[in-house]
Amino acid sequence: MIDPGPKNGKYYWQALKAALYQHYTASQRQIFKQFRLGAGLFFVGLVAIYGSYQLMPESLGREIVLLLSIAVVLIGFIIAMLAQIRLLIGRILHFIYH
């Protein structure tokens, strides 16, 4: 393991800053792909929730499908919101540095 001395810590923070800057200033096309993935998962989860209520009888199977559908909805929501935050931070960084 590398000794975390003052030199290594300095380079670590510079590398982290550069990586974050590159992540948040990515092209809007790339960020929109991330948003589309999240929105798509969110929509698929909602359709699965509605379909399970309409098409399945009350049973343990329906509850499992509902649980999985809620998980898909939450994952899709989180991915879409992270894309929106990434877009917002990218715009702020562009405003500050340009």
Side-chain angles (χ1 to χ4, degrees):
M1 180 160 193
I2 298 174
D3 179 32
K7 257 188 172 179
N8 291 338
K10 178 182 174 186
Y11 294 123
Y12 172 77
W13 290 112
Q14 287 175 349
L16 180 63
K17 181 180 175 184
L20 287 173
Y21 182 79
Q22 184 179 7
H23 175 74
Y24 285 115
T25 57
S27 70
Q28 289 185 356
R29 181 172 299 199
Q30 184 180 5
I31 297 171
F32 187 66
K33 285 181 183 179
Q34 180 184 353
F35 178 77
R36 274 193 328 217
L37 171 67
L41 286 174
F42 184 82
F43 180 72
V44 166
L46 289 179
V47 169
I49 289 172
Y50 179 75
S52 67
Y53 266 115
Q54 295 297 320
L55 301 175
M56 296 179 75
E58 288 187 22
S59 66
L60 180 62
R62 181 169 98 173
E63 297 301 323
I64 291 172
V65 170
L66 284 172
L67 182 63
L68 293 175
S69 301
I70 290 171
V72 170
V73 166
L74 288 175
I75 290 170
F77 178 78
I78 290 170
I79 291 173
M81 288 301 106
L82 287 175
Q84 287 295 319
I85 291 169
R86 185 178 177 190
L87 188 62
L88 177 67
I89 292 173
R91 288 180 180 174
I92 291 170
L93 289 175
H94 182 76
F95 178 75
I96 291 172
Y97 290 115
H98 293 108

mmCIF file of all heavy atoms in Angstrom, residues 27-45 72-73 75-87:
data_model
loop_
_atom_site.group_PDB
_atom_site.id
_atom_site.type_symbol
_atom_site.label_atom_id
_atom_site.label_comp_id
_atom_site.label_asym_id
_atom_site.label_seq_id
_atom_site.Cartn_x
_atom_site.Cartn_y
_atom_site.Cartn_z
ATOM 1 N N SER A 27 -20.623 16.070 -22.156
ATOM 2 C CA SER A 27 -21.557 16.620 -23.136
ATOM 3 C C SER A 27 -22.999 16.391 -22.679
ATOM 4 O O SER A 27 -23.314 15.426 -21.997
ATOM 5 C CB SER A 27 -21.338 15.966 -24.498
ATOM 6 O OG SER A 27 -21.767 14.620 -24.470
ATOM 7 N N GLN A 28 -23.853 17.306 -23.085
ATOM 8 C CA GLN A 28 -25.261 17.186 -22.705
ATOM 9 C C GLN A 28 -25.896 15.954 -23.335
ATOM 10 O O GLN A 28 -26.827 15.381 -22.776
ATOM 11 C CB GLN A 28 -26.014 18.446 -23.099
ATOM 12 C CG GLN A 28 -25.648 19.631 -22.253
ATOM 13 C CD GLN A 28 -26.498 20.837 -22.571
ATOM 14 O OE1 GLN A 28 -27.317 20.823 -23.479
ATOM 15 N NE2 GLN A 28 -26.298 21.895 -21.815
ATOM 16 N N ARG A 29 -25.379 15.515 -24.463
ATOM 17 C CA ARG A 29 -25.895 14.304 -25.107
ATOM 18 C C ARG A 29 -25.667 13.085 -24.203
ATOM 19 O O ARG A 29 -26.548 12.257 -24.037
ATOM 20 C CB ARG A 29 -25.192 14.108 -26.443
ATOM 21 C CG ARG A 29 -25.657 12.894 -27.203
ATOM 22 C CD ARG A 29 -25.071 12.905 -28.556
ATOM 23 N NE ARG A 29 -25.555 14.114 -29.228
ATOM 24 C CZ ARG A 29 -25.557 14.295 -30.521
ATOM 25 N NH1 ARG A 29 -25.080 13.372 -31.302
ATOM 26 N NH2 ARG A 29 -26.022 15.395 -31.042
ATOM 27 N N GLN A 30 -24.490 13.011 -23.609
ATOM 28 C CA GLN A 30 -24.174 11.900 -22.712
ATOM 29 C C GLN A 30 -25.041 11.951 -21.454
ATOM 30 O O GLN A 30 -25.543 10.927 -20.991
ATOM 31 C CB GLN A 30 -22.696 11.950 -22.343
ATOM 32 C CG GLN A 30 -22.230 10.803 -21.498
ATOM 33 C CD GLN A 30 -20.751 10.912 -21.154
ATOM 34 O OE1 GLN A 30 -20.101 11.899 -21.487
ATOM 35 N NE2 GLN A 30 -20.234 9.906 -20.495
ATOM 36 N N ILE A 31 -25.237 13.136 -20.912
ATOM 37 C CA ILE A 31 -26.056 13.276 -19.711
ATOM 38 C C ILE A 31 -27.512 12.957 -20.029
ATOM 39 O O ILE A 31 -28.218 12.336 -19.226
ATOM 40 C CB ILE A 31 -25.903 14.689 -19.126
ATOM 41 C CG1 ILE A 31 -24.455 14.919 -18.685
ATOM 42 C CG2 ILE A 31 -26.839 14.893 -17.948
ATOM 43 C CD1 ILE A 31 -24.143 16.338 -18.286
ATOM 44 N N PHE A 32 -27.981 13.342 -21.218
ATOM 45 C CA PHE A 32 -29.364 13.050 -21.584
ATOM 46 C C PHE A 32 -29.589 11.547 -21.742
ATOM 47 O O PHE A 32 -30.671 11.049 -21.438
ATOM 48 C CB PHE A 32 -29.748 13.792 -22.861
ATOM 49 C CG PHE A 32 -31.198 13.666 -23.195
ATOM 50 C CD1 PHE A 32 -32.170 14.225 -22.377
ATOM 51 C CD2 PHE A 32 -31.603 12.964 -24.307
ATOM 52 C CE1 PHE A 32 -33.514 14.098 -22.670
ATOM 53 C CE2 PHE A 32 -32.948 12.835 -24.613
ATOM 54 C CZ PHE A 32 -33.901 13.397 -23.792
ATOM 55 N N LYS A 33 -28.570 10.823 -22.197
ATOM 56 C CA LYS A 33 -28.697 9.356 -22.264
ATOM 57 C C LYS A 33 -28.916 8.779 -20.874
ATOM 58 O O LYS A 33 -29.730 7.865 -20.693
ATOM 59 C CB LYS A 33 -27.450 8.743 -22.899
ATOM 60 C CG LYS A 33 -27.361 8.911 -24.382
ATOM 61 C CD LYS A 33 -26.106 8.237 -24.910
ATOM 62 C CE LYS A 33 -25.956 8.458 -26.391
ATOM 63 N NZ LYS A 33 -24.729 7.836 -26.917
ATOM 64 N N GLN A 34 -28.189 9.305 -19.900
ATOM 65 C CA GLN A 34 -28.366 8.858 -18.519
ATOM 66 C C GLN A 34 -29.776 9.191 -18.042
ATOM 67 O O GLN A 34 -30.433 8.370 -17.398
ATOM 68 C CB GLN A 34 -27.328 9.521 -17.621
ATOM 69 C CG GLN A 34 -27.431 9.131 -16.169
ATOM 70 C CD GLN A 34 -26.437 9.889 -15.286
ATOM 71 O OE1 GLN A 34 -25.577 10.610 -15.767
ATOM 72 N NE2 GLN A 34 -26.582 9.727 -13.989
ATOM 73 N N PHE A 35 -30.266 10.380 -18.371
ATOM 74 C CA PHE A 35 -31.619 10.762 -17.960
ATOM 75 C C PHE A 35 -32.662 9.868 -18.620
ATOM 76 O O PHE A 35 -33.631 9.454 -17.974
ATOM 77 C CB PHE A 35 -31.874 12.233 -18.307
ATOM 78 C CG PHE A 35 -33.259 12.664 -17.957
ATOM 79 C CD1 PHE A 35 -33.598 12.936 -16.649
ATOM 80 C CD2 PHE A 35 -34.231 12.782 -18.930
ATOM 81 C CE1 PHE A 35 -34.883 13.324 -16.314
ATOM 82 C CE2 PHE A 35 -35.509 13.171 -18.612
ATOM 83 C CZ PHE A 35 -35.842 13.437 -17.304
ATOM 84 N N ARG A 36 -32.473 9.586 -19.911
ATOM 85 C CA ARG A 36 -33.429 8.714 -20.614
ATOM 86 C C ARG A 36 -33.486 7.323 -19.997
ATOM 87 O O ARG A 36 -34.561 6.723 -19.898
ATOM 88 C CB ARG A 36 -33.048 8.584 -22.086
ATOM 89 C CG ARG A 36 -33.575 9.660 -22.955
ATOM 90 C CD ARG A 36 -33.430 9.310 -24.414
ATOM 91 N NE ARG A 36 -32.260 8.488 -24.667
ATOM 92 C CZ ARG A 36 -31.503 8.600 -25.737
ATOM 93 N NH1 ARG A 36 -31.764 9.476 -26.653
ATOM 94 N NH2 ARG A 36 -30.470 7.802 -25.897
ATOM 95 N N LEU A 37 -32.321 6.804 -19.594
ATOM 96 C CA LEU A 37 -32.297 5.501 -18.930
ATOM 97 C C LEU A 37 -33.115 5.547 -17.648
ATOM 98 O O LEU A 37 -33.949 4.663 -17.398
ATOM 99 C CB LEU A 37 -30.858 5.090 -18.625
ATOM 100 C CG LEU A 37 -30.687 3.847 -17.746
ATOM 101 C CD1 LEU A 37 -31.181 2.613 -18.487
ATOM 102 C CD2 LEU A 37 -29.252 3.690 -17.319
ATOM 103 N N GLY A 38 -32.902 6.569 -16.830
ATOM 104 C CA GLY A 38 -33.645 6.687 -15.578
ATOM 105 C C GLY A 38 -35.135 6.861 -15.794
ATOM 106 O O GLY A 38 -35.961 6.230 -15.130
ATOM 107 N N ALA A 39 -35.490 7.722 -16.754
ATOM 108 C CA ALA A 39 -36.912 7.948 -17.034
ATOM 109 C C ALA A 39 -37.564 6.685 -17.591
ATOM 110 O O ALA A 39 -38.717 6.377 -17.263
ATOM 111 C CB ALA A 39 -37.069 9.109 -18.011
ATOM 112 N N GLY A 40 -36.834 5.957 -18.417
ATOM 113 C CA GLY A 40 -37.369 4.712 -18.970
ATOM 114 C C GLY A 40 -37.610 3.664 -17.892
ATOM 115 O O GLY A 40 -38.654 3.009 -17.873
ATOM 116 N N LEU A 41 -36.651 3.507 -16.990
ATOM 117 C CA LEU A 41 -36.839 2.566 -15.882
ATOM 118 C C LEU A 41 -38.000 2.987 -14.996
ATOM 119 O O LEU A 41 -38.797 2.142 -14.554
ATOM 120 C CB LEU A 41 -35.567 2.458 -15.049
ATOM 121 C CG LEU A 41 -34.413 1.679 -15.660
ATOM 122 C CD1 LEU A 41 -33.170 1.793 -14.784
ATOM 123 C CD2 LEU A 41 -34.792 0.228 -15.849
ATOM 124 N N PHE A 42 -38.109 4.278 -14.737
ATOM 125 C CA PHE A 42 -39.210 4.795 -13.934
ATOM 126 C C PHE A 42 -40.555 4.452 -14.580
ATOM 127 O O PHE A 42 -41.473 3.946 -13.917
ATOM 128 C CB PHE A 42 -39.054 6.311 -13.777
ATOM 129 C CG PHE A 42 -40.076 6.955 -12.900
ATOM 130 C CD1 PHE A 42 -39.923 6.936 -11.524
ATOM 131 C CD2 PHE A 42 -41.170 7.599 -13.435
ATOM 132 C CE1 PHE A 42 -40.860 7.539 -10.698
ATOM 133 C CE2 PHE A 42 -42.110 8.199 -12.625
ATOM 134 C CZ PHE A 42 -41.947 8.168 -11.255
ATOM 135 N N PHE A 43 -40.661 4.693 -15.888
ATOM 136 C CA PHE A 43 -41.901 4.416 -16.605
ATOM 137 C C PHE A 43 -42.215 2.922 -16.626
ATOM 138 O O PHE A 43 -43.363 2.520 -16.404
ATOM 139 C CB PHE A 43 -41.813 4.970 -18.031
ATOM 140 C CG PHE A 43 -43.041 4.728 -18.847
ATOM 141 C CD1 PHE A 43 -44.199 5.433 -18.595
ATOM 142 C CD2 PHE A 43 -43.040 3.779 -19.851
ATOM 143 C CE1 PHE A 43 -45.343 5.197 -19.339
ATOM 144 C CE2 PHE A 43 -44.170 3.539 -20.605
ATOM 145 C CZ PHE A 43 -45.334 4.252 -20.346
ATOM 146 N N VAL A 44 -41.211 2.099 -16.880
ATOM 147 C CA VAL A 44 -41.423 0.647 -16.908
ATOM 148 C C VAL A 44 -41.894 0.150 -15.539
ATOM 149 O O VAL A 44 -42.793 -0.696 -15.441
ATOM 150 C CB VAL A 44 -40.135 -0.082 -17.353
ATOM 151 C CG1 VAL A 44 -40.194 -1.570 -17.066
ATOM 152 C CG2 VAL A 44 -39.879 0.160 -18.824
ATOM 153 N N GLY A 45 -41.311 0.684 -14.482
ATOM 154 C CA GLY A 45 -41.738 0.298 -13.140
ATOM 155 C C GLY A 45 -43.178 0.684 -12.858
ATOM 156 O O GLY A 45 -43.935 -0.088 -12.264
ATOM 157 N N VAL A 72 -37.622 -0.919 -9.170
ATOM 158 C CA VAL A 72 -37.280 -0.386 -10.489
ATOM 159 C C VAL A 72 -37.653 1.092 -10.580
ATOM 160 O O VAL A 72 -36.889 1.902 -11.116
ATOM 161 C CB VAL A 72 -37.965 -1.208 -11.604
ATOM 162 C CG1 VAL A 72 -37.826 -0.539 -12.961
ATOM 163 C CG2 VAL A 72 -37.394 -2.609 -11.653
ATOM 164 N N VAL A 73 -38.812 1.457 -10.039
ATOM 165 C CA VAL A 73 -39.228 2.864 -10.039
ATOM 166 C C VAL A 73 -38.220 3.708 -9.264
ATOM 167 O O VAL A 73 -37.799 4.782 -9.722
ATOM 168 C CB VAL A 73 -40.650 3.018 -9.445
ATOM 169 C CG1 VAL A 73 -40.958 4.466 -9.126
ATOM 170 C CG2 VAL A 73 -41.685 2.464 -10.404
ATOM 171 N N ILE A 75 -35.025 3.056 -8.543
ATOM 172 C CA ILE A 75 -33.739 3.098 -9.236
ATOM 173 C C ILE A 75 -33.810 4.058 -10.420
ATOM 174 O O ILE A 75 -32.899 4.866 -10.631
ATOM 175 C CB ILE A 75 -33.310 1.681 -9.672
ATOM 176 C CG1 ILE A 75 -32.944 0.853 -8.454
ATOM 177 C CG2 ILE A 75 -32.150 1.741 -10.660
ATOM 178 C CD1 ILE A 75 -32.748 -0.617 -8.738
ATOM 179 N N GLY A 76 -34.890 3.993 -11.186
ATOM 180 C CA GLY A 76 -35.059 4.905 -12.315
ATOM 181 C C GLY A 76 -35.130 6.357 -11.868
ATOM 182 O O GLY A 76 -34.529 7.242 -12.488
ATOM 183 N N PHE A 77 -35.838 6.611 -10.785
ATOM 184 C CA PHE A 77 -35.944 7.971 -10.255
ATOM 185 C C PHE A 77 -34.577 8.493 -9.823
ATOM 186 O O PHE A 77 -34.206 9.630 -10.134
ATOM 187 C CB PHE A 77 -36.918 7.994 -9.076
ATOM 188 C CG PHE A 77 -37.068 9.335 -8.442
ATOM 189 C CD1 PHE A 77 -37.863 10.304 -9.039
ATOM 190 C CD2 PHE A 77 -36.423 9.640 -7.263
ATOM 191 C CE1 PHE A 77 -38.001 11.551 -8.460
ATOM 192 C CE2 PHE A 77 -36.550 10.882 -6.675
ATOM 193 C CZ PHE A 77 -37.346 11.848 -7.279
ATOM 194 N N ILE A 78 -33.814 7.655 -9.131
ATOM 195 C CA ILE A 78 -32.491 8.074 -8.662
ATOM 196 C C ILE A 78 -31.560 8.365 -9.837
ATOM 197 O O ILE A 78 -30.853 9.378 -9.849
ATOM 198 C CB ILE A 78 -31.900 7.016 -7.716
ATOM 199 C CG1 ILE A 78 -32.670 7.019 -6.397
ATOM 200 C CG2 ILE A 78 -30.415 7.254 -7.471
ATOM 201 C CD1 ILE A 78 -32.335 5.852 -5.488
ATOM 202 N N ILE A 79 -31.570 7.507 -10.854
ATOM 203 C CA ILE A 79 -30.708 7.727 -12.017
ATOM 204 C C ILE A 79 -31.093 9.018 -12.729
ATOM 205 O O ILE A 79 -30.225 9.822 -13.107
ATOM 206 C CB ILE A 79 -30.776 6.519 -12.970
ATOM 207 C CG1 ILE A 79 -30.107 5.310 -12.335
ATOM 208 C CG2 ILE A 79 -30.125 6.841 -14.313
ATOM 209 C CD1 ILE A 79 -30.277 4.023 -13.124
ATOM 210 N N ALA A 80 -32.388 9.249 -12.906
ATOM 211 C CA ALA A 80 -32.833 10.466 -13.588
ATOM 212 C C ALA A 80 -32.489 11.713 -12.782
ATOM 213 O O ALA A 80 -32.045 12.726 -13.347
ATOM 214 C CB ALA A 80 -34.339 10.401 -13.853
ATOM 215 N N MET A 81 -32.648 11.667 -11.472
ATOM 216 C CA MET A 81 -32.331 12.841 -10.651
ATOM 217 C C MET A 81 -30.826 13.102 -10.609
ATOM 218 O O MET A 81 -30.397 14.260 -10.611
ATOM 219 C CB MET A 81 -32.880 12.675 -9.234
ATOM 220 C CG MET A 81 -34.383 12.801 -9.162
ATOM 221 S SD MET A 81 -34.978 14.397 -9.770
ATOM 222 C CE MET A 81 -35.670 13.935 -11.338
ATOM 223 N N LEU A 82 -30.025 12.043 -10.603
ATOM 224 C CA LEU A 82 -28.574 12.239 -10.648
ATOM 225 C C LEU A 82 -28.150 12.874 -11.969
ATOM 226 O O LEU A 82 -27.232 13.703 -11.997
ATOM 227 C CB LEU A 82 -27.850 10.910 -10.428
ATOM 228 C CG LEU A 82 -27.886 10.361 -9.009
ATOM 229 C CD1 LEU A 82 -27.243 8.977 -8.956
ATOM 230 C CD2 LEU A 82 -27.177 11.301 -8.050
ATOM 231 N N ALA A 83 -28.825 12.512 -13.050
ATOM 232 C CA ALA A 83 -28.526 13.143 -14.338
ATOM 233 C C ALA A 83 -28.904 14.624 -14.309
ATOM 234 O O ALA A 83 -28.164 15.468 -14.833
ATOM 235 C CB ALA A 83 -29.273 12.425 -15.466
ATOM 236 N N GLN A 84 -30.032 14.952 -13.697
ATOM 237 C CA GLN A 84 -30.426 16.356 -13.608
ATOM 238 C C GLN A 84 -29.446 17.155 -12.751
ATOM 239 O O GLN A 84 -29.084 18.279 -13.092
ATOM 240 C CB GLN A 84 -31.839 16.474 -13.030
ATOM 241 C CG GLN A 84 -32.917 16.065 -13.988
ATOM 242 C CD GLN A 84 -32.982 16.987 -15.191
ATOM 243 O OE1 GLN A 84 -32.863 18.197 -15.075
ATOM 244 N NE2 GLN A 84 -33.150 16.393 -16.356
ATOM 245 N N ILE A 85 -29.005 16.570 -11.648
ATOM 246 C CA ILE A 85 -28.029 17.245 -10.786
ATOM 247 C C ILE A 85 -26.712 17.430 -11.544
ATOM 248 O O ILE A 85 -26.080 18.484 -11.471
ATOM 249 C CB ILE A 85 -27.829 16.451 -9.486
ATOM 250 C CG1 ILE A 85 -29.096 16.538 -8.634
ATOM 251 C CG2 ILE A 85 -26.629 16.961 -8.712
ATOM 252 C CD1 ILE A 85 -29.115 15.581 -7.468
ATOM 253 N N ARG A 86 -26.315 16.400 -12.279
ATOM 254 C CA ARG A 86 -25.086 16.487 -13.075
ATOM 255 C C ARG A 86 -25.188 17.597 -14.105
ATOM 256 O O ARG A 86 -24.237 18.363 -14.307
ATOM 257 C CB ARG A 86 -24.865 15.143 -13.755
ATOM 258 C CG ARG A 86 -23.598 14.998 -14.519
ATOM 259 C CD ARG A 86 -23.511 13.598 -15.094
ATOM 260 N NE ARG A 86 -22.326 13.434 -15.898
ATOM 261 C CZ ARG A 86 -22.089 12.381 -16.668
ATOM 262 N NH1 ARG A 86 -22.963 11.395 -16.710
ATOM 263 N NH2 ARG A 86 -20.993 12.311 -17.375
ATOM 264 N N LEU A 87 -26.338 17.715 -14.749
ATOM 265 C CA LEU A 87 -26.544 18.771 -15.731
ATOM 266 C C LEU A 87 -26.499 20.147 -15.073
ATOM 267 O O LEU A 87 -25.875 21.080 -15.597
ATOM 268 C CB LEU A 87 -27.879 18.556 -16.437
ATOM 269 C CG LEU A 87 -28.193 19.443 -17.622
ATOM 270 C CD1 LEU A 87 -27.182 19.223 -18.734
ATOM 271 C CD2 LEU A 87 -29.587 19.151 -18.126
#
